[in-house]
mmCIF file with all atom_site columns, all heavy atoms in Angstrom:
data_model
loop_
_atom_site.group_PDB
_atom_site.id
_atom_site.type_symbol
_atom_site.label_atom_id
_atom_site.label_alt_id
_atom_site.label_comp_id
_atom_site.label_asym_id
_atom_site.label_entity_id
_atom_site.label_seq_id
_atom_site.pdbx_PDB_ins_code
_atom_site.Cartn_x
_atom_site.Cartn_y
_atom_site.Cartn_z
_atom_site.occupancy
_atom_site.B_iso_or_equiv
_atom_site.pdbx_formal_charge
_atom_site.auth_seq_id
_atom_site.auth_comp_id
_atom_site.auth_asym_id
_atom_site.auth_atom_id
_atom_site.pdbx_PDB_model_num
ATOM 1   N N   . LEU X 1 11  ? 100.057 128.946 115.093 1.00 43.00 ? 35  LEU X N   1
ATOM 2   C CA  . LEU X 1 11  ? 98.900  128.076 114.968 1.00 43.00 ? 35  LEU X CA  1
ATOM 3   C C   . LEU X 1 11  ? 98.000  128.072 116.193 1.00 43.00 ? 35  LEU X C   1
ATOM 4   O O   . LEU X 1 11  ? 96.847  127.682 116.093 1.00 43.00 ? 35  LEU X O   1
ATOM 5   C CB  . LEU X 1 11  ? 99.354  126.641 114.687 1.00 43.00 ? 35  LEU X CB  1
ATOM 6   C CG  . LEU X 1 11  ? 100.182 126.451 113.433 1.00 43.00 ? 35  LEU X CG  1
ATOM 7   C CD1 . LEU X 1 11  ? 100.615 124.999 113.315 1.00 43.00 ? 35  LEU X CD1 1
ATOM 8   C CD2 . LEU X 1 11  ? 99.415  126.883 112.215 1.00 43.00 ? 35  LEU X CD2 1
ATOM 9   N N   . ALA X 1 14  ? 94.445  129.432 115.917 1.00 38.00 ? 38  ALA X N   1
ATOM 10  C CA  . ALA X 1 14  ? 93.640  128.646 114.979 1.00 38.00 ? 38  ALA X CA  1
ATOM 11  C C   . ALA X 1 14  ? 93.263  127.288 115.564 1.00 38.00 ? 38  ALA X C   1
ATOM 12  O O   . ALA X 1 14  ? 92.280  126.689 115.153 1.00 38.00 ? 38  ALA X O   1
ATOM 13  C CB  . ALA X 1 14  ? 94.411  128.439 113.673 1.00 38.00 ? 38  ALA X CB  1
ATOM 14  N N   . LEU X 1 15  ? 94.049  126.811 116.521 1.00 37.00 ? 39  LEU X N   1
ATOM 15  C CA  . LEU X 1 15  ? 93.811  125.482 117.061 1.00 37.00 ? 39  LEU X CA  1
ATOM 16  C C   . LEU X 1 15  ? 92.895  125.477 118.271 1.00 37.00 ? 39  LEU X C   1
ATOM 17  O O   . LEU X 1 15  ? 92.415  124.425 118.673 1.00 37.00 ? 39  LEU X O   1
ATOM 18  C CB  . LEU X 1 15  ? 95.142  124.816 117.442 1.00 37.00 ? 39  LEU X CB  1
ATOM 19  C CG  . LEU X 1 15  ? 96.116  124.607 116.292 1.00 37.00 ? 39  LEU X CG  1
ATOM 20  C CD1 . LEU X 1 15  ? 97.407  123.999 116.815 1.00 37.00 ? 39  LEU X CD1 1
ATOM 21  C CD2 . LEU X 1 15  ? 95.515  123.719 115.229 1.00 37.00 ? 39  LEU X CD2 1
ATOM 22  N N   . LEU X 1 16  ? 92.641  126.635 118.863 1.00 33.00 ? 40  LEU X N   1
ATOM 23  C CA  . LEU X 1 16  ? 91.782  126.663 120.038 1.00 33.00 ? 40  LEU X CA  1
ATOM 24  C C   . LEU X 1 16  ? 90.413  126.131 119.675 1.00 33.00 ? 40  LEU X C   1
ATOM 25  O O   . LEU X 1 16  ? 89.756  126.602 118.765 1.00 33.00 ? 40  LEU X O   1
ATOM 26  C CB  . LEU X 1 16  ? 91.660  128.093 120.576 1.00 33.00 ? 40  LEU X CB  1
ATOM 27  C CG  . LEU X 1 16  ? 92.934  128.657 121.188 1.00 33.00 ? 40  LEU X CG  1
ATOM 28  C CD1 . LEU X 1 16  ? 92.730  130.104 121.577 1.00 33.00 ? 40  LEU X CD1 1
ATOM 29  C CD2 . LEU X 1 16  ? 93.375  127.840 122.388 1.00 33.00 ? 40  LEU X CD2 1
ATOM 30  N N   . GLY X 1 17  ? 89.982  125.128 120.372 1.00 33.00 ? 41  GLY X N   1
ATOM 31  C CA  . GLY X 1 17  ? 88.673  124.545 120.121 1.00 33.00 ? 41  GLY X CA  1
ATOM 32  C C   . GLY X 1 17  ? 88.618  123.674 118.877 1.00 33.00 ? 41  GLY X C   1
ATOM 33  O O   . GLY X 1 17  ? 87.562  123.221 118.491 1.00 33.00 ? 41  GLY X O   1
ATOM 34  N N   . ALA X 1 18  ? 89.743  123.434 118.236 1.00 36.00 ? 42  ALA X N   1
ATOM 35  C CA  . ALA X 1 18  ? 89.753  122.651 117.006 1.00 36.00 ? 42  ALA X CA  1
ATOM 36  C C   . ALA X 1 18  ? 89.562  121.171 117.315 1.00 36.00 ? 42  ALA X C   1
ATOM 37  O O   . ALA X 1 18  ? 90.021  120.674 118.329 1.00 36.00 ? 42  ALA X O   1
ATOM 38  C CB  . ALA X 1 18  ? 91.079  122.853 116.264 1.00 36.00 ? 42  ALA X CB  1
ATOM 39  N N   . ALA X 1 19  ? 88.865  120.514 116.435 1.00 36.00 ? 43  ALA X N   1
ATOM 40  C CA  . ALA X 1 19  ? 88.716  119.060 116.545 1.00 36.00 ? 43  ALA X CA  1
ATOM 41  C C   . ALA X 1 19  ? 89.872  118.426 115.793 1.00 36.00 ? 43  ALA X C   1
ATOM 42  O O   . ALA X 1 19  ? 90.227  118.859 114.714 1.00 36.00 ? 43  ALA X O   1
ATOM 43  C CB  . ALA X 1 19  ? 87.388  118.633 115.947 1.00 36.00 ? 43  ALA X CB  1
ATOM 44  N N   . HIS X 1 20  ? 90.473  117.415 116.373 1.00 36.00 ? 44  HIS X N   1
ATOM 45  C CA  . HIS X 1 20  ? 91.627  116.776 115.753 1.00 36.00 ? 44  HIS X CA  1
ATOM 46  C C   . HIS X 1 20  ? 91.236  115.400 115.246 1.00 36.00 ? 44  HIS X C   1
ATOM 47  O O   . HIS X 1 20  ? 90.420  114.726 115.841 1.00 36.00 ? 44  HIS X O   1
ATOM 48  C CB  . HIS X 1 20  ? 92.766  116.645 116.768 1.00 36.00 ? 44  HIS X CB  1
ATOM 49  C CG  . HIS X 1 20  ? 93.205  117.957 117.293 1.00 36.00 ? 44  HIS X CG  1
ATOM 50  N ND1 . HIS X 1 20  ? 94.110  118.742 116.652 1.00 36.00 ? 44  HIS X ND1 1
ATOM 51  C CD2 . HIS X 1 20  ? 92.819  118.659 118.385 1.00 36.00 ? 44  HIS X CD2 1
ATOM 52  C CE1 . HIS X 1 20  ? 94.291  119.859 117.335 1.00 36.00 ? 44  HIS X CE1 1
ATOM 53  N NE2 . HIS X 1 20  ? 93.513  119.837 118.390 1.00 36.00 ? 44  HIS X NE2 1
ATOM 54  N N   . GLY X 1 21  ? 91.846  114.989 114.171 1.00 40.00 ? 45  GLY X N   1
ATOM 55  C CA  . GLY X 1 21  ? 91.568  113.657 113.675 1.00 40.00 ? 45  GLY X CA  1
ATOM 56  C C   . GLY X 1 21  ? 92.473  113.308 112.528 1.00 40.00 ? 45  GLY X C   1
ATOM 57  O O   . GLY X 1 21  ? 93.123  114.163 111.952 1.00 40.00 ? 45  GLY X O   1
ATOM 58  N N   . GLY X 1 22  ? 92.514  112.057 112.203 1.00 49.00 ? 46  GLY X N   1
ATOM 59  C CA  . GLY X 1 22  ? 93.313  111.590 111.090 1.00 49.00 ? 46  GLY X CA  1
ATOM 60  C C   . GLY X 1 22  ? 92.442  111.390 109.868 1.00 49.00 ? 46  GLY X C   1
ATOM 61  O O   . GLY X 1 22  ? 91.236  111.573 109.902 1.00 49.00 ? 46  GLY X O   1
ATOM 62  N N   . GLU X 1 25  ? 88.507  110.284 109.444 1.00 89.00 ? 49  GLU X N   1
ATOM 63  C CA  . GLU X 1 25  ? 87.690  110.672 110.588 1.00 89.00 ? 49  GLU X CA  1
ATOM 64  C C   . GLU X 1 25  ? 86.724  111.788 110.192 1.00 89.00 ? 49  GLU X C   1
ATOM 65  O O   . GLU X 1 25  ? 87.074  112.711 109.472 1.00 89.00 ? 49  GLU X O   1
ATOM 66  C CB  . GLU X 1 25  ? 88.569  111.150 111.741 1.00 89.00 ? 49  GLU X CB  1
ATOM 67  C CG  . GLU X 1 25  ? 87.764  111.472 112.984 1.00 89.00 ? 49  GLU X CG  1
ATOM 68  C CD  . GLU X 1 25  ? 88.633  111.864 114.166 1.00 89.00 ? 49  GLU X CD  1
ATOM 69  O OE1 . GLU X 1 25  ? 89.844  111.619 114.131 1.00 89.00 ? 49  GLU X OE1 1
ATOM 70  O OE2 . GLU X 1 25  ? 88.071  112.420 115.111 1.00 89.00 ? 49  GLU X OE2 1
ATOM 71  N N   . VAL X 1 27  ? 84.397  114.938 111.316 1.00 96.00 ? 51  VAL X N   1
ATOM 72  C CA  . VAL X 1 27  ? 84.337  115.964 112.344 1.00 96.00 ? 51  VAL X CA  1
ATOM 73  C C   . VAL X 1 27  ? 83.068  116.787 112.139 1.00 96.00 ? 51  VAL X C   1
ATOM 74  O O   . VAL X 1 27  ? 82.867  117.344 111.053 1.00 96.00 ? 51  VAL X O   1
ATOM 75  C CB  . VAL X 1 27  ? 85.581  116.881 112.279 1.00 96.00 ? 51  VAL X CB  1
ATOM 76  C CG1 . VAL X 1 27  ? 85.494  117.997 113.300 1.00 96.00 ? 51  VAL X CG1 1
ATOM 77  C CG2 . VAL X 1 27  ? 86.858  116.077 112.463 1.00 96.00 ? 51  VAL X CG2 1
ATOM 78  N N   . LEU X 1 29  ? 80.879  120.074 112.432 1.00 98.00 ? 53  LEU X N   1
ATOM 79  C CA  . LEU X 1 29  ? 81.201  121.495 112.531 1.00 98.00 ? 53  LEU X CA  1
ATOM 80  C C   . LEU X 1 29  ? 79.943  122.341 112.448 1.00 98.00 ? 53  LEU X C   1
ATOM 81  O O   . LEU X 1 29  ? 78.999  121.991 111.738 1.00 98.00 ? 53  LEU X O   1
ATOM 82  C CB  . LEU X 1 29  ? 82.158  121.903 111.402 1.00 98.00 ? 53  LEU X CB  1
ATOM 83  C CG  . LEU X 1 29  ? 83.514  121.228 111.378 1.00 98.00 ? 53  LEU X CG  1
ATOM 84  C CD1 . LEU X 1 29  ? 84.267  121.587 110.109 1.00 98.00 ? 53  LEU X CD1 1
ATOM 85  C CD2 . LEU X 1 29  ? 84.325  121.627 112.604 1.00 98.00 ? 53  LEU X CD2 1
ATOM 86  N N   . LEU X 1 42  ? 87.864  113.966 106.079 1.00 96.00 ? 66  LEU X N   1
ATOM 87  C CA  . LEU X 1 42  ? 89.056  113.978 105.233 1.00 96.00 ? 66  LEU X CA  1
ATOM 88  C C   . LEU X 1 42  ? 89.198  112.566 104.683 1.00 96.00 ? 66  LEU X C   1
ATOM 89  O O   . LEU X 1 42  ? 89.468  111.623 105.430 1.00 96.00 ? 66  LEU X O   1
ATOM 90  C CB  . LEU X 1 42  ? 90.301  114.363 106.031 1.00 96.00 ? 66  LEU X CB  1
ATOM 91  C CG  . LEU X 1 42  ? 91.614  114.306 105.249 1.00 96.00 ? 66  LEU X CG  1
ATOM 92  C CD1 . LEU X 1 42  ? 91.624  115.301 104.098 1.00 96.00 ? 66  LEU X CD1 1
ATOM 93  C CD2 . LEU X 1 42  ? 92.792  114.554 106.182 1.00 96.00 ? 66  LEU X CD2 1
ATOM 94  N N   . HIS X 1 83  ? 92.247  124.974 104.768 1.00 97.00 ? 107 HIS X N   1
ATOM 95  C CA  . HIS X 1 83  ? 93.634  125.423 104.875 1.00 97.00 ? 107 HIS X CA  1
ATOM 96  C C   . HIS X 1 83  ? 94.523  124.213 105.131 1.00 97.00 ? 107 HIS X C   1
ATOM 97  O O   . HIS X 1 83  ? 94.101  123.241 105.748 1.00 97.00 ? 107 HIS X O   1
ATOM 98  C CB  . HIS X 1 83  ? 93.804  126.434 106.013 1.00 97.00 ? 107 HIS X CB  1
ATOM 99  C CG  . HIS X 1 83  ? 93.158  127.739 105.721 1.00 97.00 ? 107 HIS X CG  1
ATOM 100 N ND1 . HIS X 1 83  ? 91.853  128.005 106.037 1.00 97.00 ? 107 HIS X ND1 1
ATOM 101 C CD2 . HIS X 1 83  ? 93.629  128.845 105.103 1.00 97.00 ? 107 HIS X CD2 1
ATOM 102 C CE1 . HIS X 1 83  ? 91.549  129.221 105.635 1.00 97.00 ? 107 HIS X CE1 1
ATOM 103 N NE2 . HIS X 1 83  ? 92.605  129.763 105.068 1.00 97.00 ? 107 HIS X NE2 1
ATOM 104 N N   . LEU X 1 85  ? 98.282  123.289 106.773 1.00 97.00 ? 109 LEU X N   1
ATOM 105 C CA  . LEU X 1 85  ? 99.351  123.799 107.627 1.00 97.00 ? 109 LEU X CA  1
ATOM 106 C C   . LEU X 1 85  ? 100.595 122.960 107.395 1.00 97.00 ? 109 LEU X C   1
ATOM 107 O O   . LEU X 1 85  ? 100.507 121.738 107.301 1.00 97.00 ? 109 LEU X O   1
ATOM 108 C CB  . LEU X 1 85  ? 98.948  123.703 109.095 1.00 97.00 ? 109 LEU X CB  1
ATOM 109 C CG  . LEU X 1 85  ? 97.590  124.301 109.460 1.00 97.00 ? 109 LEU X CG  1
ATOM 110 C CD1 . LEU X 1 85  ? 97.266  124.028 110.909 1.00 97.00 ? 109 LEU X CD1 1
ATOM 111 C CD2 . LEU X 1 85  ? 97.546  125.774 109.160 1.00 97.00 ? 109 LEU X CD2 1
ATOM 112 N N   . ALA X 1 132 ? 101.565 119.210 108.012 1.00 96.00 ? 156 ALA X N   1
ATOM 113 C CA  . ALA X 1 132 ? 101.234 119.069 109.428 1.00 96.00 ? 156 ALA X CA  1
ATOM 114 C C   . ALA X 1 132 ? 99.753  118.765 109.633 1.00 96.00 ? 156 ALA X C   1
ATOM 115 O O   . ALA X 1 132 ? 99.409  117.877 110.399 1.00 96.00 ? 156 ALA X O   1
ATOM 116 C CB  . ALA X 1 132 ? 101.618 120.322 110.201 1.00 96.00 ? 156 ALA X CB  1
ATOM 117 N N   . ALA X 1 133 ? 98.870  119.520 108.955 1.00 96.00 ? 157 ALA X N   1
ATOM 118 C CA  . ALA X 1 133 ? 97.444  119.351 109.218 1.00 96.00 ? 157 ALA X CA  1
ATOM 119 C C   . ALA X 1 133 ? 96.605  119.986 108.124 1.00 96.00 ? 157 ALA X C   1
ATOM 120 O O   . ALA X 1 133 ? 97.061  120.873 107.405 1.00 96.00 ? 157 ALA X O   1
ATOM 121 C CB  . ALA X 1 133 ? 97.077  119.974 110.567 1.00 96.00 ? 157 ALA X CB  1
ATOM 122 N N   . VAL X 1 134 ? 95.370  119.526 108.041 1.00 97.00 ? 158 VAL X N   1
ATOM 123 C CA  . VAL X 1 134 ? 94.344  120.137 107.196 1.00 97.00 ? 158 VAL X CA  1
ATOM 124 C C   . VAL X 1 134 ? 93.298  120.710 108.144 1.00 97.00 ? 158 VAL X C   1
ATOM 125 O O   . VAL X 1 134 ? 92.938  120.067 109.133 1.00 97.00 ? 158 VAL X O   1
ATOM 126 C CB  . VAL X 1 134 ? 93.680  119.102 106.250 1.00 97.00 ? 158 VAL X CB  1
ATOM 127 C CG1 . VAL X 1 134 ? 92.510  119.722 105.496 1.00 97.00 ? 158 VAL X CG1 1
ATOM 128 C CG2 . VAL X 1 134 ? 94.698  118.537 105.283 1.00 97.00 ? 158 VAL X CG2 1
ATOM 129 N N   . GLN X 1 135 ? 92.843  121.925 107.854 1.00 97.00 ? 159 GLN X N   1
ATOM 130 C CA  . GLN X 1 135 ? 91.790  122.557 108.642 1.00 97.00 ? 159 GLN X CA  1
ATOM 131 C C   . GLN X 1 135 ? 90.609  122.881 107.755 1.00 97.00 ? 159 GLN X C   1
ATOM 132 O O   . GLN X 1 135 ? 90.780  123.150 106.558 1.00 97.00 ? 159 GLN X O   1
ATOM 133 C CB  . GLN X 1 135 ? 92.270  123.863 109.279 1.00 97.00 ? 159 GLN X CB  1
ATOM 134 C CG  . GLN X 1 135 ? 93.294  123.690 110.347 1.00 97.00 ? 159 GLN X CG  1
ATOM 135 C CD  . GLN X 1 135 ? 93.700  125.019 110.965 1.00 97.00 ? 159 GLN X CD  1
ATOM 136 O OE1 . GLN X 1 135 ? 93.627  126.069 110.331 1.00 97.00 ? 159 GLN X OE1 1
ATOM 137 N NE2 . GLN X 1 135 ? 94.133  124.976 112.214 1.00 97.00 ? 159 GLN X NE2 1
ATOM 138 N N   . PHE X 1 136 ? 89.413  122.880 108.348 1.00 97.00 ? 160 PHE X N   1
ATOM 139 C CA  . PHE X 1 136 ? 88.201  123.250 107.624 1.00 97.00 ? 160 PHE X CA  1
ATOM 140 C C   . PHE X 1 136 ? 87.274  123.961 108.593 1.00 97.00 ? 160 PHE X C   1
ATOM 141 O O   . PHE X 1 136 ? 87.079  123.501 109.723 1.00 97.00 ? 160 PHE X O   1
ATOM 142 C CB  . PHE X 1 136 ? 87.500  122.014 107.056 1.00 97.00 ? 160 PHE X CB  1
ATOM 143 C CG  . PHE X 1 136 ? 86.407  122.326 106.069 1.00 97.00 ? 160 PHE X CG  1
ATOM 144 C CD1 . PHE X 1 136 ? 86.679  122.379 104.711 1.00 97.00 ? 160 PHE X CD1 1
ATOM 145 C CD2 . PHE X 1 136 ? 85.113  122.582 106.498 1.00 97.00 ? 160 PHE X CD2 1
ATOM 146 C CE1 . PHE X 1 136 ? 85.674  122.671 103.790 1.00 97.00 ? 160 PHE X CE1 1
ATOM 147 C CE2 . PHE X 1 136 ? 84.104  122.877 105.587 1.00 97.00 ? 160 PHE X CE2 1
ATOM 148 C CZ  . PHE X 1 136 ? 84.394  122.923 104.232 1.00 97.00 ? 160 PHE X CZ  1
ATOM 149 N N   . ALA X 1 137 ? 86.719  125.091 108.157 1.00 97.00 ? 161 ALA X N   1
ATOM 150 C CA  . ALA X 1 137 ? 85.739  125.841 108.938 1.00 97.00 ? 161 ALA X CA  1
ATOM 151 C C   . ALA X 1 137 ? 84.706  126.425 107.980 1.00 97.00 ? 161 ALA X C   1
ATOM 152 O O   . ALA X 1 137 ? 85.054  126.878 106.883 1.00 97.00 ? 161 ALA X O   1
ATOM 153 C CB  . ALA X 1 137 ? 86.413  126.961 109.730 1.00 97.00 ? 161 ALA X CB  1
ATOM 154 N N   . ASP X 1 145 ? 84.179  127.334 114.888 1.00 96.00 ? 169 ASP X N   1
ATOM 155 C CA  . ASP X 1 145 ? 84.297  125.883 115.001 1.00 96.00 ? 169 ASP X CA  1
ATOM 156 C C   . ASP X 1 145 ? 85.204  125.392 113.876 1.00 96.00 ? 169 ASP X C   1
ATOM 157 O O   . ASP X 1 145 ? 84.828  125.426 112.703 1.00 96.00 ? 169 ASP X O   1
ATOM 158 C CB  . ASP X 1 145 ? 82.902  125.266 114.904 1.00 96.00 ? 169 ASP X CB  1
ATOM 159 C CG  . ASP X 1 145 ? 82.822  123.857 115.444 1.00 96.00 ? 169 ASP X CG  1
ATOM 160 O OD1 . ASP X 1 145 ? 83.819  123.363 116.002 1.00 96.00 ? 169 ASP X OD1 1
ATOM 161 O OD2 . ASP X 1 145 ? 81.750  123.242 115.290 1.00 96.00 ? 169 ASP X OD2 1
ATOM 162 N N   . VAL X 1 146 ? 86.425  124.949 114.213 1.00 96.00 ? 170 VAL X N   1
ATOM 163 C CA  . VAL X 1 146 ? 87.430  124.558 113.228 1.00 96.00 ? 170 VAL X CA  1
ATOM 164 C C   . VAL X 1 146 ? 87.728  123.071 113.362 1.00 96.00 ? 170 VAL X C   1
ATOM 165 O O   . VAL X 1 146 ? 88.076  122.600 114.440 1.00 96.00 ? 170 VAL X O   1
ATOM 166 C CB  . VAL X 1 146 ? 88.749  125.356 113.406 1.00 96.00 ? 170 VAL X CB  1
ATOM 167 C CG1 . VAL X 1 146 ? 89.795  124.916 112.393 1.00 96.00 ? 170 VAL X CG1 1
ATOM 168 C CG2 . VAL X 1 146 ? 88.487  126.851 113.298 1.00 96.00 ? 170 VAL X CG2 1
ATOM 169 N N   . GLY X 1 147 ? 87.589  122.332 112.263 1.00 96.00 ? 171 GLY X N   1
ATOM 170 C CA  . GLY X 1 147 ? 87.974  120.931 112.238 1.00 96.00 ? 171 GLY X CA  1
ATOM 171 C C   . GLY X 1 147 ? 89.420  120.819 111.809 1.00 96.00 ? 171 GLY X C   1
ATOM 172 O O   . GLY X 1 147 ? 89.876  121.574 110.947 1.00 96.00 ? 171 GLY X O   1
ATOM 173 N N   . GLN X 1 148 ? 90.147  119.905 112.415 1.00 95.00 ? 172 GLN X N   1
ATOM 174 C CA  . GLN X 1 148 ? 91.544  119.728 112.044 1.00 95.00 ? 172 GLN X CA  1
ATOM 175 C C   . GLN X 1 148 ? 91.893  118.247 112.014 1.00 95.00 ? 172 GLN X C   1
ATOM 176 O O   . GLN X 1 148 ? 91.522  117.501 112.909 1.00 95.00 ? 172 GLN X O   1
ATOM 177 C CB  . GLN X 1 148 ? 92.467  120.447 113.028 1.00 95.00 ? 172 GLN X CB  1
ATOM 178 C CG  . GLN X 1 148 ? 93.941  120.250 112.668 1.00 95.00 ? 172 GLN X CG  1
ATOM 179 C CD  . GLN X 1 148 ? 94.836  121.207 113.383 1.00 95.00 ? 172 GLN X CD  1
ATOM 180 O OE1 . GLN X 1 148 ? 94.629  122.401 113.311 1.00 95.00 ? 172 GLN X OE1 1
ATOM 181 N NE2 . GLN X 1 148 ? 95.842  120.695 114.055 1.00 95.00 ? 172 GLN X NE2 1
ATOM 182 N N   . TRP X 1 149 ? 92.603  117.861 110.952 1.00 95.00 ? 173 TRP X N   1
ATOM 183 C CA  . TRP X 1 149 ? 93.085  116.491 110.770 1.00 95.00 ? 173 TRP X CA  1
ATOM 184 C C   . TRP X 1 149 ? 94.598  116.536 110.729 1.00 95.00 ? 173 TRP X C   1
ATOM 185 O O   . TRP X 1 149 ? 95.187  117.189 109.881 1.00 95.00 ? 173 TRP X O   1
ATOM 186 C CB  . TRP X 1 149 ? 92.535  115.907 109.467 1.00 95.00 ? 173 TRP X CB  1
ATOM 187 C CG  . TRP X 1 149 ? 91.050  115.784 109.461 1.00 95.00 ? 173 TRP X CG  1
ATOM 188 C CD1 . TRP X 1 149 ? 90.319  114.676 109.766 1.00 95.00 ? 173 TRP X CD1 1
ATOM 189 C CD2 . TRP X 1 149 ? 90.106  116.806 109.131 1.00 95.00 ? 173 TRP X CD2 1
ATOM 190 N NE1 . TRP X 1 149 ? 88.976  114.950 109.649 1.00 95.00 ? 173 TRP X NE1 1
ATOM 191 C CE2 . TRP X 1 149 ? 88.811  116.247 109.260 1.00 95.00 ? 173 TRP X CE2 1
ATOM 192 C CE3 . TRP X 1 149 ? 90.202  118.146 108.748 1.00 95.00 ? 173 TRP X CE3 1
ATOM 193 C CZ2 . TRP X 1 149 ? 87.639  116.962 109.026 1.00 95.00 ? 173 TRP X CZ2 1
ATOM 194 C CZ3 . TRP X 1 149 ? 89.045  118.869 108.511 1.00 95.00 ? 173 TRP X CZ3 1
ATOM 195 C CH2 . TRP X 1 149 ? 87.786  118.274 108.651 1.00 95.00 ? 173 TRP X CH2 1
ATOM 196 N N   . SER X 1 150 ? 95.249  115.810 111.620 1.00 94.00 ? 174 SER X N   1
ATOM 197 C CA  . SER X 1 150 ? 96.705  115.773 111.687 1.00 94.00 ? 174 SER X CA  1
ATOM 198 C C   . SER X 1 150 ? 97.261  114.933 110.549 1.00 94.00 ? 174 SER X C   1
ATOM 199 O O   . SER X 1 150 ? 96.740  113.854 110.240 1.00 94.00 ? 174 SER X O   1
ATOM 200 C CB  . SER X 1 150 ? 97.142  115.177 113.026 1.00 94.00 ? 174 SER X CB  1
ATOM 201 O OG  . SER X 1 150 ? 98.548  115.012 113.032 1.00 94.00 ? 174 SER X OG  1
ATOM 202 N N   . LEU X 1 151 ? 98.314  115.420 109.944 1.00 90.00 ? 175 LEU X N   1
ATOM 203 C CA  . LEU X 1 151 ? 98.999  114.687 108.878 1.00 90.00 ? 175 LEU X CA  1
ATOM 204 C C   . LEU X 1 151 ? 100.360 114.206 109.348 1.00 90.00 ? 175 LEU X C   1
ATOM 205 O O   . LEU X 1 151 ? 101.167 113.745 108.546 1.00 90.00 ? 175 LEU X O   1
ATOM 206 C CB  . LEU X 1 151 ? 99.123  115.552 107.616 1.00 90.00 ? 175 LEU X CB  1
ATOM 207 C CG  . LEU X 1 151 ? 97.803  116.063 107.056 1.00 90.00 ? 175 LEU X CG  1
ATOM 208 C CD1 . LEU X 1 151 ? 98.043  116.947 105.838 1.00 90.00 ? 175 LEU X CD1 1
ATOM 209 C CD2 . LEU X 1 151 ? 96.871  114.921 106.719 1.00 90.00 ? 175 LEU X CD2 1
#
Side-chain angles (χ1 to χ4, degrees):
L35 301 177
L39 299 178
L40 291 175
H44 300 275
E49 184 176 345
V51 177
L53 298 172
L66 176 63
H107 290 89
L109 309 175
V158 173
Q159 292 182 333
F160 192 93
D169 199 6
V170 179
Q172 179 165 306
W173 297 264
S174 174
L175 303 178

